[in-house]
Amino acid sequence: MTDHERLPDPELFASGRMQRAVRLAGNRDLRADAAQLARLRRFAQADDPLADDVVAMIHAMPHGEGRALFEQALTSGIDAIDDPPAPLVAFFRDVEATPYWVDFDRIDQGARSIIRTGLLGMFPLGDMSLMGGYLASRAVKTLVSTGDLEHTAARRLAETASWWIDVTTPGALHPQGEGARAALRIRLVHAFVRDAMNRRDDWDYDAWDRPVNQVQTVGTLLLFSLVFLLGTQLLGIRYTQQEREDVMHLWRYVGWLMGVDDELLPGSEADAWRLLWLLATTEFIPDDDSKRLAKALLAQNANIGAGLGPLSGVVGSASVSLHAAISRMLIGSNNADYLGLPRNRLTDAAVRGIAGVTFAAETVRMRVPGATTLQQKVGELTRSHYLAQVSKMLPLDRSYSRSMDAPVDGAA
């Protein structure tokens, strides 16, 4: 095979459902060649120098001082600090230089399209984006190394959901908005994790690439954007082409805030599909660690019945079957079987039924004046209620200080 012959489809794109999704999205042959693949792989050795320098600055200062300066710059701007350290200036001056392609009206429109999915949009977040992400065995090494997601799955899932809500709220990604601050905090968390992994003596750079590298970060971005769109559509949600492009535009800007290289940021839905194909070829290769994290997520789904007495087992089992069925819709039977996801044909049929009913309701919504606006308001209320309920049950760390204060040395 020469460098310019197209490569075979990876496992994720071999299923009939994914092939149909590709065609419905207006794409044809997504296959890349070896030269394109090699160019992408170079980014697996790329970090985020601006954020990494800020972490080095924080480590060099007395405990708490560097983080306090970062938070002050985040909330009040870098000019609010007298004689700020050079790494902090470089980081925030870069963030302040908004790219020419950013359109905040389109970003807000994308946020409204996400909001109207309401709680239904939360299912693809965990069952498709997160479970699908576990297929990327190199990316999950940091999760397994810290043990945090495996042992505190409920809290981390809730914090991920709250972060997702922060960055997908209209107006939140404008300069100094809560969504923009949330994106930059997670960028710093990634730099802290990267620093921690680089200090370990057991990190296998040859097998796992650089920790929290550019390819892995943009892969996460695709899980929240393209995979979310695909997942909600599989569950019956309908979008116009412009709505899908606006959602992609929102996540392009989030990716830029999080330090993803411009070359990797998809400029359109079609670009995102081609990038997802490349990532499926090089990154979505599950291993035993993928199975461990999938098992932990299933266990969390089973816990939903806790406290219901005699019904706890029944409710927990139904929850696992439901979430597994939704996961299977995206990742395919072979990947689902490898991860140990149970299959229940009755639940599969129920999910298809729910999707059919949702599709019919969405078709009506698109034809009734004012229905879309009403659905957005309902979605906003359900998201707010979800956050309020979760906050009562779990101590959410929306500053992500726990992730930044984790130990940074020693082997596993």
Side-chain angles (χ1 to χ4, degrees):
M1 177 178 289
T2 68
D3 283 352
H4 298 292
E5 290 183 38
R6 293 191 177 186
L7 301 168
D9 278 326
E11 172 68 30
L12 186 65
F13 281 81
S15 69
R17 183 177 286 111
M18 185 63 83
Q19 290 173 349
R20 289 194 295 274
V22 169
R23 289 195 299 272
L24 288 173
N27 296 290
R28 295 188 180 181
D29 193 344
L30 295 177
R31 291 177 300 157
D33 60 37
Q36 291 173 308
L37 189 62
R39 186 175 183 88
L40 173 75
R41 288 293 300 153
R42 293 193 327 213
F43 288 98
Q45 304 304 321
D47 299 327
D48 179 359
L50 289 174
D52 294 339
D53 287 347
V54 171
V55 168
M57 174 206 81
I58 290 173
H59 285 321
M61 299 179 72
H63 182 72
E65 289 188 13
R67 283 271 309 287
L69 286 177
F70 179 84
E71 283 295 321
Q72 184 179 354
L74 196 61
T75 56
S76 304
I78 190 67
D79 291 328
I81 300 175
D82 294 330
D83 193 24
L88 208 60
V89 174
F91 180 91
F92 280 98
R93 289 298 183 217
D94 185 72
V95 168
E96 290 169 354
T98 305
Y100 77 92
W101 46 262
V102 173
D103 183 332
F104 287 111
D105 288 338
R106 287 189 61 196
I107 288 173
D108 289 344
Q109 282 299 111
R112 294 185 186 97
S113 296
I114 293 171
I115 279 179
R116 68 175 172 78
T117 66
L119 291 184
L120 189 63
M122 304 294 285
F123 283 93
L125 189 65
D127 298 333
M128 295 182 175
S129 298
L130 189 57
M131 189 65 81
Y134 289 163
L135 297 174
S137 58
R138 284 190 288 255
V140 304
K141 296 307 175 192
T142 54
L143 297 177
V144 173
S145 296
T146 61
D148 196 18
L149 191 58
E150 189 173 21
H151 296 126
T152 57
R155 186 182 63 209
R156 285 293 302 271
L157 282 172
E159 287 173 358
T160 298
S162 70
W163 178 85
W164 177 74
I165 290 173
D166 283 342
V167 300
T168 59
T169 297
L173 287 174
H174 292 221
Q176 301 299 315
E178 185 53 45
R181 291 197 294 267
L184 293 174
R185 286 191 183 103
I186 287 296
R187 180 176 178 180
L188 193 66
V189 168
H190 286 175
F192 268 97
V193 172
R194 188 163 44 246
D195 176 73
M197 296 302 106
N198 283 329
R199 291 170 183 251
R200 298 174 68 100
D201 58 19
D202 62 348
W203 186 265
D204 190 338
Y205 291 92
D206 292 333
W208 305 337
D209 299 325
R210 300 286 298 177
V212 200
N213 60 62
Q214 290 275 318
V215 170
Q216 293 171 2
T217 305
V218 78
T220 301
L221 191 71
L222 285 187
L223 294 173
F224 283 121
S225 56
L226 182 63
V227 171
F228 170 83
L229 284 173
L230 175 59
T232 50
Q233 287 177 100
L234 288 173
L235 292 176
I237 299 295
R238 298 190 65 182
Y239 304 92
T240 65
Q241 178 65 37
Q242 186 60 54
E243 285 175 333
R244 296 200 307 270
E245 295 294 350
D246 288 344
V247 169
M248 295 305 304
H249 190 72
L250 180 155
W251 285 104
R252 184 185 183 189
Y253 183 52
V254 172
W256 182 84
L257 288 173
M258 293 175 64
V260 176
D261 191 280
D262 287 348
E263 183 176 336
L264 289 180
L265 291 171
S268 65
E269 185 182 8
D271 287 351
W273 273 107
R274 297 185 68 83
L275 181 55
L276 182 65
W277 188 98
L278 281 166
L279 293 176
T281 298
T282 62
E283 304 300 310
F284 293 170
I285 305 170
D287 63 7
D288 287 342
D289 286 333
S290 305
K291 294 180 182 180
R292 286 178 60 190
L293 291 171
K295 182 179 179 180
L297 184 55
L298 289 176
Q300 179 55 42
N301 292 333
N303 285 339
I304 195 171
L308 296 179
L311 294 177
S312 60
V314 174
V315 173
S317 178
S319 173
V320 169
S321 294
L322 173 64
H323 288 286
I326 295 173
S327 295
R328 281 181 174 274
M329 293 178 71
L330 176 71
I331 67 177
S333 294
N334 290 341
N335 283 322
D337 290 343
Y338 184 89
L339 293 178
L341 306 187
R343 181 164 192 171
N344 185 310
R345 295 189 183 279
L346 183 61
T347 309
D348 290 346
V351 170
R352 289 194 296 270
I354 292 170
V357 170
T358 302
F359 185 87
E362 283 281 275
T363 301
V364 172
R365 173 192 61 78
M366 296 178 76
R367 296 176 180 177
V368 175
T372 296
T373 300
L374 176 61
Q375 187 62 35
Q376 288 169 0
K377 292 179 179 178
V378 171
E380 185 174 8
L381 288 173
T382 57
R383 287 179 12 144
S384 298
H385 179 71
Y386 167 83
L387 265 185
Q389 292 301 111
V390 168
S391 298
K392 291 179 182 178
M393 296 183 293
L394 296 167
L396 299 185
D397 176 21
R398 301 184 76 173
S399 70
Y400 313 108
S401 58
R402 184 181 60 258
S403 299
M404 300 183 203
D405 292 336
V408 297
D409 55 5

